[in-house]
Amino acid sequence: MKRTTIALAAFALGTGMAFADTVAPGNVAFDGYEVAESLTGTPGDPEKGREIMTNKSEGNCISCHAAEAYADVPFHGEVGPMLDGAGDRWSEAELRGLVVNAKMAFEGTVMPAFYKTEGFNRLGDGFTGKAHPEDKPVEPLLNAQQVEDVVAYLKTLTE
Amino acid sequence: MKMKLLHGIAAAALALGAGTAMADEDAELVINGDLEIVTKTDAPAHLEGAVGEIMSGWRFRDSTTQVMQMDDFDNPGMIFVDDARDMWATAEGSEGKSCMDCHGEPEDMAGVKPVYPKWNEAAGEVRTLQMQMNDCRENRMGAETWKYDAGDAVAMEALLASVSRGMPVNVATDGPGQSTWEQGKELYYTRTGQLDLSCASCHELNYGNMIRADHLSQGQVNGFPTYRLKNTKLNGIHSRFKGCVRDTRAETFSAGSPEFVALEMYVASRGNGLSVEGPSVRN
């Protein structure tokens, strides 16, 4: 109920409003490996989620995961499992938890944590190879709404 | 905490639309019709439990790239080797000496490359081939040192590799260099950067898999220096390490740094038993 209210308010007042309710990377509430609460209160857009997952400069999930669902985009990796059916195998809360930090579900996995800003070894400044400046805030790999968009797309991957 | 095991699914994953000409798994590397190169063999004892079979990066490249390395006339890396032959015989520095004055023909250096990086007793440190060459330049020739992994240094390393082609890599993992080797091993398994990946994440756990358009190899260094089609030049080992660390969104180490010297020693020893192959051709 609460979520709907926020979403409606955000809709009425523009996206800036939803920002105030964004859960920061350090404050995401895990229950085991699940994250039940939306990070933004704004429902994810599956179309945008697909774009993020298959775009090299954004989520780049495609570099490790293949799927029939985005077979039109070339060069699928095979480091992780195929994602077709992920929407059947996992609940929304589980999927959100997997995208935020997959290490909560799979200890030692090679899948990066997409919504995390702390606890890195030799953190670089993007792909420059240089150290991340101390006074520059660390951006997560995906922002909160992008995580929601990706989760929304993963939910559509049913068989 | 619920744990779902998906490794089975991962193994069954299909590469869709990759479209790349995949390596012929059974191809063997013979250079110039007679020089047989070991590109696949049993892993050295220190890798027990981690990797059973070691494979050169050559086996993971597509057939067009593979073929370029089978004939020295098709291998662009050999042009740099020819340049280095000229440098070898050219006197430089305050002593007016060339490499040749002290070492004879480049062929007389056969067997040097396979054991590098190695412990140098007098200096009390592990040295890469480039460090040793620079020591000769600075202290025996009175010449300027070469910039690490830059043109001249990599070309000379390629010459010294080429005269050892076909000989088995045999880097010591014990003795006085052992602590450096251990440091390299530690670096190999340490995750870095925002993507939080170690060398092992890609080259030990996932070799043979596609990562986007790249066919992941074991990240061996027996083929170095490598001529890469991507940048059309010879590439040194540390430059390759730099690229791989950078790709984890991490702060890299620099070419010639103690960390990369140690990492090179450890990675080279993971290839003990493979043939020296440099200069090789990669994409």
Side-chain angles (χ1 to χ4, degrees), chain A residues 33-34 60 62-63 66-68 75-79 81-82 89-90 94 103-106 108-110 120-124 126-127 129 131 139 141, chain B residues 1-4 6 9-10 13-18 190-197 201 206 208-213 246-247 249-253:
Chain A
Y33 60 82
E34 301 179 25
N60 200 17
I62 193 172
S63 70
E68 301 270 9
F75 304 129
H76 293 201
E78 47 185 358
V79 169
M82 281 189 87
R89 288 192 290 279
W90 307 92
E94 289 175 318
K103 288 179 182 85
M104 301 297 282
F106 308 107
T109 185
V110 300
F120 300 111
N121 173 33
R122 297 186 68 83
L123 182 66
F127 287 114
E139 297 289 338
L141 294 170
Chain B
M1 196 198 303
K2 279 194 282 178
M3 294 280 242
K4 298 196 183 178
L6 291 169
I9 304 176
L14 290 170
L16 285 180
T190 301
R191 290 169 178 245
T192 56
Q194 197 165 5
L195 299 186
D196 203 27
L197 298 168
S201 307
N206 279 296
N209 285 332
M210 297 300 293
I211 188 158
R212 203 165 170 104
R246 183 200 60 212
D247 284 353
R249 288 176 170 261
E251 177 190 5
T252 66
F253 299 99

Side-chain angles (χ1 to χ4, degrees), chain B residues 97-119:
Chain B
K97 288 218 155 65
S98 71
C99 315
M100 179 121 89
D101 289 331
C102 296
H103 291 293
E105 293 298 323
E107 281 68 21
D108 295 336
M109 301 294 271
V112 172
K113 168 77 182 172
V115 297
Y116 270 80
K118 84 167 189 200
W119 176 257

